[in-house]
Amino acid sequence: MLGRFFKARSVNAGVPQPLGPEHASGTDRTMMARAIELARQAAAAGEAPIGAVVYETASGTIIAEARNTREADADPCGHAELLAVRAAASATGDWRLNHCTLVVTLEPCCMCAGTLLNARVGRVVFGAFDPKAGATGSLMNILADGRLNHKPVLIGGVEADACGALLRSFFKDLRARKR
């Protein structure tokens, strides 16, 4: 179980894969550092350590950021990326976020990948792969489905070691507390 998070690459060879971390820009890496800080804040609050940042791709200006709030809000939709996309749409006054990049510490799930498609996010950058729930390269790649009308640029594995370590440590501690 300790190796669940942060595979160097997805384990499902039949699924279209995201571009590798070598394709991340300096701004992507800076935003990932911020997302990791948000993930640490989530862990300190007893939430799964996942953080997300939405920034304007051309300027590098942060539009919105969020961390998981599922436990505090008793909300199954309290995922960092969904909350960050909602906040970005509100901040811009437009649900279309083609001009934005979302950076998140864990590979998006089906719900969040659907949100990214519906918001028309232009680029998605994630840290750790999630072989049990990842929907952008691990189990499936919703963002690469040719039947859909929007295909964002997708980059995975950025700071995967750091993102995966946060997740592993959090869940190891959580299991120890439950004993």
Side-chain angles (χ1 to χ4, degrees):
M1 181 80 168
L2 291 181
R4 173 180 169 195
F5 298 105
F6 114 92
K7 302 293 181 187
R9 281 291 198 193
S10 166
V11 294
N12 191 342
V15 173
Q17 293 299 291
L19 297 171
E22 65 278 7
H23 294 277
S25 69
T27 305
D28 293 334
R29 292 182 184 285
T30 298
M31 297 301 170
M32 183 61 78
R34 176 62 185 147
I36 289 170
E37 178 54 36
L38 291 164
R40 286 188 182 107
Q41 292 174 18
E47 300 283 351
I50 302 167
V53 175
V54 176
Y55 75 91
E56 187 176 55
T57 306
S59 70
T61 302
I62 293 176
I63 297 171
E65 54 186 33
R67 61 175 178 79
N68 268 30
T69 62
R70 285 174 55 171
E71 299 298 328
D73 296 344
D75 180 3
C77 297
H79 290 203
E81 53 269 66
L82 189 145
L83 298 172
V85 166
R86 280 183 180 162
S90 179
T92 61
D94 192 352
W95 60 268
R96 293 171 198 85
L97 300 175
N98 308 66
H99 62 292
C100 296
T101 297
L102 172 107
V103 178
V104 62
T105 55
L106 181 64
E107 178 182 2
C109 68
C110 292
M111 174 180 68
C112 293
T115 298
L116 298 172
L117 285 173
N118 283 310
R120 309 291 194 267
V121 173
R123 296 175 71 247
V124 177
V125 177
F126 68 86
F129 281 85
D130 186 353
K132 298 223 175 186
T136 59
S138 289
L139 296 178
M140 63 194 77
N141 191 339
I142 293 171
L143 301 183
D145 189 321
R147 298 168 293 181
L148 301 173
N149 66 342
H150 180 68
K151 289 172 195 53
V153 173
L154 178 62
I155 300 170
V158 177
E159 301 299 334
D161 291 346
C163 296
L166 272 173
L167 288 155
R168 285 191 312 276
S169 174
F170 175 81
F171 286 107
K172 180 181 178 184
D173 292 348
L174 184 65
R175 284 189 301 275
R177 285 193 305 270
K178 287 184 176 181
R179 287 184 191 151

